[in-house]
Amino acid sequence: MDHADRLPVARLAGGIPPTALVLAGIVSVQVGAAFAKQLFTVAGAAGTVTLRLLMAALVLVVIWRPSLRLDRRTLVTVATYGAVLAAMNLCFYAALARIPLGAAVTIEFLGPLAVAVAGSRRWLDGVWVLLAGTGVVLLTRVQGGLLWTGVLFALAAGACWAAYILVTAKLGSQTTDGKGLALAMVVGSAIALPFGIGSAGTAMLDPVVLAAGFAVALMSSVIPYSLELEALRRMPPRVFGILMSMEPAVAAVAGLVLLGEHLAPAQWVAVCCVVIASVGATRSAKPDV
């Protein structure tokens, strides 16, 4: 992909260090999630997801102008990617409607952690799994714990995130630009649409809600995806993975600052446990993970 093919956000970010790009992307995602949560009272969790995916699909289609002239194998991968994307976001936002942002992201992060240690027989990876499990137990048991339905939705989102990582690698090997991502986003928004209509109804047509959905799409999808793609062009994947391990901590801070969601001291320890486990698992993972 040459310079002319890169997304506008990525072009503007060309002179910024890749580490800063990843951290900016993480902050953008979590601020977007906090902003999205404030839309739930108007559009519901599913309605907010649908708006986010629809708006992101619109932006990406305008940028990339994708064609359906793909071979059958690639079309299947695109459709699978879109379905996983829709399921992951629907489950995550459903969790977000029930438990704090920091807790939801921390539990969801078990998905990529599982991918990092999958198939490993090294004792050290067992330590990371045990540490992450301890963190989740602390998170859910302290001061009355968390609503169990929210925890289940977050775990489902984590499973989808694990699948998303695997499908993303497959899509990346079959496409060379953002056209596949644009088509997948269209598929994901089409899958989410019935849930969104059922949740939000005509509220999705309100100009203010549409504008808010567009802002969420930019912060949660377009900007971070663009920054992450640009960063991955200039840094090793393992370093990228270690930086991404900061997401639970950033989410907890975003929830505290923007939503007033306070975690108990032991729950902050739980978030740190999952972050440390993720960093450790990423550092010790095999090069092909």
Side-chain angles (χ1 to χ4, degrees):
M1 180 166 62
D2 59 29
H3 185 79
D5 287 333
R6 289 152 67 191
L7 293 177
V9 173
R11 292 191 205 125
L12 293 173
I16 300 174
T19 300
L21 293 180
V22 176
L23 293 176
I26 292 172
V27 171
S28 181
V29 167
Q30 301 310 330
V31 170
F35 187 48
K37 188 164 184 174
Q38 297 178 57
L39 267 179
F40 288 0
T41 55
V42 179
T48 304
V49 170
T50 303
L51 284 170
R52 169 186 166 181
L53 295 179
L54 280 171
M55 295 300 181
L58 178 62
V59 171
L60 291 172
V61 166
V62 168
I63 291 172
W64 292 110
R65 297 185 295 278
S67 169
L68 289 174
R69 294 176 183 175
L70 301 172
D71 61 83
R72 183 177 178 182
R73 178 166 161 263
T74 303
L75 281 173
V76 169
T77 301
V78 165
T80 303
Y81 184 101
V84 170
L85 191 68
M88 179 175 68
N89 282 284
L90 285 167
C91 288
F92 176 67
Y93 277 41
L96 206 56
R98 294 165 172 82
I99 60 178
L101 172 60
V105 173
T106 300
I107 295 169
E108 185 194 27
F109 221 76
L110 294 180
L113 178 61
V115 173
V117 301
S120 173
R121 296 183 178 179
R122 289 174 295 187
W123 67 269
L124 188 57
D125 287 327
V127 171
W128 303 135
V129 171
L130 182 60
L131 183 61
T134 300
V136 171
V137 170
L138 274 175
L139 196 63
T140 57
R141 298 287 179 151
V142 172
Q143 291 186 351
L146 304 171
L147 193 63
W148 68 270
T149 50
V151 173
L152 289 178
F153 274 121
L155 288 171
C160 290
W161 195 352
Y164 171 83
I165 292 170
L166 301 177
V167 178
T168 298
K170 195 172 182 181
L171 182 69
S173 68
Q174 295 176 8
T175 60
T176 57
D177 52 30
K179 292 181 173 63
L181 174 61
L183 286 175
M185 197 68 75
V186 171
V187 173
S189 60
I191 292 172
L193 187 59
F195 298 95
I197 292 174
S199 172
T202 57
M204 289 180 61
L205 301 178
D206 185 304
V208 175
V209 174
L210 287 172
F214 183 73
V216 170
L218 287 179
M219 289 187 290
S220 299
S221 298
V222 178
I223 291 174
Y225 290 169
S226 303
L227 294 179
E228 289 167 9
L229 284 171
E230 177 64 19
L232 279 168
R233 291 165 58 90
R234 296 190 272 137
M235 70 165 36
R238 185 169 299 189
V239 176
F240 176 82
I242 291 171
L243 290 171
M244 290 298 289
S245 299
M246 295 301 298
E247 282 218 35
V250 174
V253 172
L256 174 63
V257 174
L258 300 176
L259 299 172
E261 295 177 338
H262 295 270
L263 297 181
Q267 290 177 315
W268 281 102
V269 172
V271 171
C272 291
C273 285
V274 174
V275 169
I276 293 169
S278 181
V279 171
T282 304
R283 282 181 59 86
S284 62
K286 295 179 181 179
D288 59 345
V289 172

